[in-house]
Amino acid sequence: MELAGEEHEQGGGRASGYPPGERHDRGGVHVLRAPPTPRSTPHAQPDNPSTPMTPAPQPDTAALTDAAAPQEELNPFVIAQEQFNTAVQYLPDLETGLIEFLIRPERIITVEFPIKMSDGTYQNFVGHRVLHNRVRGPGKGGIRYHPDVSADEVRALSAWMTWKCAVVDVPFGGAKGGVECDPSKLTEDDLRRITRRFIAQLGDNIGPYVDIPAPDVNTNARTMAWIYDTYDMMHPGRNNLPVVTGKPLDMGGSLGRPEATGRGCLFACQQALRRGLVEGLDSVAGARVVVQGFGNVGANAARLFEEAGATVIALSDISGGVYNPDGVDVQAALALRDATGFIEGLAGTEPISNEDLLALECDILVPAALENQIRADNAERVRARFIVEGANGPTTPAADRILFGRGIPVLPDILANAGGVTVSYFEWVQNNENEQWEEEVVNAKLLRKMNRATDAVIDTQHRINGDLERIQQLRSERGLNGRELPPVDLRTAAYVLAIRRVADVALQRGIWP
Ligand code: NAD
């Protein structure tokens, strides 16, 4: 495992020790190890429709070509499992029990708490924190505030973090958290109280060597400062800075962290183009780029792609999209967003709907908003030559199949947006060492990580697709279904790489006891 900065080893923890299926209440904290069964649809777990939590160890490959089903599953947790189950078909040597361990989250915590609001009323909020896997190191993952947050969404996002950390080779496991709330209707005081109470209720289920939060949708450096302060109040007298990353610069944040996810998207995209992933497009310079979402990831990606010589022709945020075929002024969009909160009405642009934006003819499309944006019902309309996933889960499995069939490569989230967790890891290392690295050092280390990870994913895809017959034969020898395995896309290749890395460490460590 490659470590940044000075080479120092740090171990992950053991499993929580709770027997499967048991529920433990600790003063308002509910710890659940066997989560409820998510809703199942014709798309979900075709070999195993009744118990989607149990992995279909080697599912029917017919599912891979079934893109025309009328109803598409949009539950991110079911989607994450489908992606996993597709990938494990290409790892026929993995034991079923190990597969089951890798797909299941280690710990799910749901807390409910009251807040006295700024207007004097009392409201109850629900928050979740899921630790998916910590074989390769402590849990790592953002906390989001959004009305659509649910246990299933957080479970999916935590699994994606496990695979992302493995793809980019940082010594963390996967975790994620969220509070069901609408920040647009909350004051800063409300948000601070929600954050403090949520973190207080999580107690020692987060910690610098246990599970380390970071920013995500609708949370930022200010939120991370509150998280740090709350945790520090509860654990005085020691260096608590590494408990959370994405902090403000003058309290242990890393230079380069705010831009890291967008910068990582650019680095991965550049390396993939250098590797010839898109015929006739070998550089970002001169490319026409569309970015959906103008928050931390989208705005930084747009700015950095523009700085790298691309022409950004469309942008969007929750207020809608703005389009100019000759190029949108990204700096002006940033200024407008900073002044008004939104990019609606940006001078020199025409409005464009979200659906039309995704269907614009362009070289590179960067979905950087939320999940399930490119689906079975609109993937045929996509006219981008290359998709770079800034957001988590923007493309559904059915859309993946359509895009793969159409020859449009998708640089998957667990690679393309891994720059954020990579620099979070750098921040954590700096906090442990009481150091602050120069921004150039951070960016140079990020570049190396992103290039290596991109190469590893592309190489894995080539290796699998050049070796399908042998994999098929191994499957037959192990008595697994003998139907023809289709070639893999980049997402499945990234999963195979990540699952292999996590499984190898699990086996090296040995299952305790
Ligand atoms: P953010 O809250 O900073 O920004 C989200 C943006 O999306 C906002 O501009 C919002 O207006 C826009 N948006 C919301 N709904 C939209 C819609 N329907 N159409 C168009 N735009 C819409 O969040 P973020 O941190 O930029 O995260 C965005 C995505 O990137 C999420 O999927 C997140 O999980 C993922 N991600 C974030 C990071 C990080 O470091 N922040 C790292 C990896 C992945």
Side-chain angles (χ1 to χ4, degrees):
M1 209 184 299
E2 195 213 13
L3 292 170
E6 286 179 24
E7 304 287 304
H8 52 162
E9 195 63 64
Q10 57 83 33
R14 284 192 288 110
S16 69
Y18 298 127
E22 276 196 23
R23 184 183 171 113
H24 301 256
D25 291 2
R26 296 188 197 151
V29 178
H30 310 304
V31 182
L32 205 69
R33 289 218 57 209
T37 303
R39 69 182 188 273
S40 172
T41 74
H43 268 259
Q45 303 293 324
D47 274 354
N48 200 3
S50 57
T51 54
M53 259 317 290
T54 306
Q58 304 295 338
D60 192 333
T61 54
L64 297 178
T65 54
D66 181 19
Q71 260 205 334
E72 192 179 9
E73 176 61 68
L74 296 180
N75 179 330
F77 180 60
V78 179
I79 288 175
Q81 288 194 310
E82 183 176 342
Q83 292 166 341
F84 178 94
N85 284 330
T86 299
V88 292
Q89 294 177 110
Y90 298 86
L91 293 162
D93 57 312
L94 284 192
E95 295 295 336
T96 304
L98 187 59
I99 292 171
E100 190 171 343
F101 165 64
L102 294 175
I103 199 169
R104 296 172 78 102
E106 180 178 312
R107 184 169 68 199
I108 298 173
I109 298 172
T110 295
V111 294
E112 298 194 28
F113 50 88
I115 294 293
K116 186 173 184 187
M117 311 298 288
S118 309
D119 63 6
T121 62
Y122 294 89
Q123 270 185 42
N124 284 295
F125 291 87
V126 177
H128 311 277
R129 184 77 188 171
V130 177
L131 177 59
H132 175 256
N133 184 295
R134 52 178 171 151
V135 160
R136 285 171 50 95
K140 187 85 190 81
I143 289 183
R144 66 169 56 175
Y145 292 167
H146 196 275
D148 293 344
V149 163
S150 66
D152 273 359
E153 183 185 62
V154 177
R155 273 192 286 177
L157 289 160
S158 69
W160 285 329
M161 285 306 297
T162 298
W163 313 129
K164 189 181 302 182
C165 291
V167 164
V168 83
D169 198 14
V170 294
F172 287 137
K176 203 80 180 189
V179 177
E180 301 171 18
C181 66
D182 185 352
S184 68
K185 301 195 171 94
L186 298 169
T187 65
E188 183 170 326
D189 274 352
D190 294 339
L191 287 168
R192 195 186 66 249
R193 288 190 199 106
I194 289 169
T195 304
R196 285 197 187 283
R197 185 70 195 253
F198 180 46
I199 295 305
Q201 293 219 217
L202 290 180
D204 285 336
N205 291 295
I206 65 163
Y209 309 103
V210 179
D211 181 356
I212 305 144
D216 197 75
V217 174
N218 293 324
T219 57
N220 52 27
R222 186 188 55 185
T223 327
M224 300 306 113
W226 294 332
I227 292 177
Y228 165 72
D229 188 66
T230 308
Y231 187 86
D232 193 55
M233 291 291 168
M234 294 163 65
H235 302 84
R238 64 188 203 199
N239 174 18
N240 289 311
L241 287 176
V243 70
V244 64
T245 59
K247 298 180 291 294
L249 203 53
D250 46 8
M251 49 179 289
S254 176
L255 288 160
R257 176 60 184 91
E259 307 83 9
T261 309
R263 196 181 297 280
C265 280
L266 173 68
F267 287 164
C269 178
Q270 284 173 322
Q271 182 66 359
L273 295 180
R274 275 194 290 272
R275 292 284 306 259
L277 220 62
V278 185
E279 216 183 307
L281 186 70
D282 58 7
S283 167
V284 163
R288 290 160 312 139
V289 176
V290 169
V291 182
Q292 183 203 39
F294 203 63
N296 175 287
V297 182
N300 281 302
R303 182 173 64 77
L304 293 165
F305 272 79
E306 190 183 61
E307 279 174 24
T311 302
V312 176
I313 61 167
L315 293 170
S316 70
D317 66 10
I318 191 86
S319 69
V322 294
Y323 171 56
N324 182 339
D326 298 324
V328 172
D329 183 343
V330 177
Q331 286 301 336
L334 286 166
L336 182 64
R337 184 201 62 176
D338 291 347
T340 68
F342 303 104
I343 57 171
E344 193 180 19
L346 179 67
T349 65
E350 54 187 87
I352 185 168
S353 71
N354 192 40
E355 277 302 292
D356 289 345
L357 176 129
L358 293 174
L360 279 175
E361 194 181 344
C362 64
D363 295 310
I364 301 163
L365 170 63
V366 184
L370 293 168
E371 298 98 329
N372 297 329
Q373 298 303 300
I374 307 173
R375 302 171 304 268
D377 61 342
N378 64 1
E380 288 289 359
R381 290 187 67 209
V382 169
R383 287 185 295 159
R385 296 165 73 192
F386 189 27
I387 296 175
V388 178
E389 292 187 334
N392 285 310
T395 314
T396 66
D400 269 338
R401 291 188 285 271
I402 293 169
L403 295 167
F404 190 55
R406 293 180 57 208
I408 301 173
V410 178
L411 213 55
D413 46 10
I414 57 173
L415 166 64
N417 69 35
V421 73
T422 302
V423 177
S424 275
Y425 165 56
F426 297 161
E427 180 175 328
W428 183 85
V429 174
Q430 292 169 74
N431 291 159
N432 274 298
E433 295 175 342
N434 280 312
E435 285 281 344
Q436 185 157 68
W437 302 346
E438 299 294 329
E439 190 164 1
E440 300 77 53
V441 173
V442 171
N443 290 345
K445 284 177 184 285
L446 174 63
L447 177 67
R448 210 163 57 130
K449 281 278 189 199
M450 294 309 297
N451 282 352
R452 275 195 194 163
T454 307
D455 283 344
V457 169
I458 295 172
D459 291 345
T460 302
Q461 186 188 34
H462 288 167
R463 187 180 51 70
I464 295 171
N465 290 347
D467 208 17
L468 285 174
E469 249 177 60
R470 199 185 60 85
I471 298 170
Q472 193 83 47
Q473 197 186 331
L474 277 174
R475 288 177 60 79
S476 308
E477 282 166 13
R478 295 210 58 205
L480 303 166
N481 86 47
R483 274 192 243 166
E484 204 178 322
L485 285 177
V488 298
D489 59 12
L490 289 162
R491 187 183 318 279
T492 300
Y495 262 84
V496 169
L497 175 72
I499 295 168
R500 169 63 72 202
R501 284 179 173 173
V502 178
D504 282 352
V505 177
L507 292 172
Q508 282 163 21
R509 289 177 63 151
I511 303 295
W512 197 88

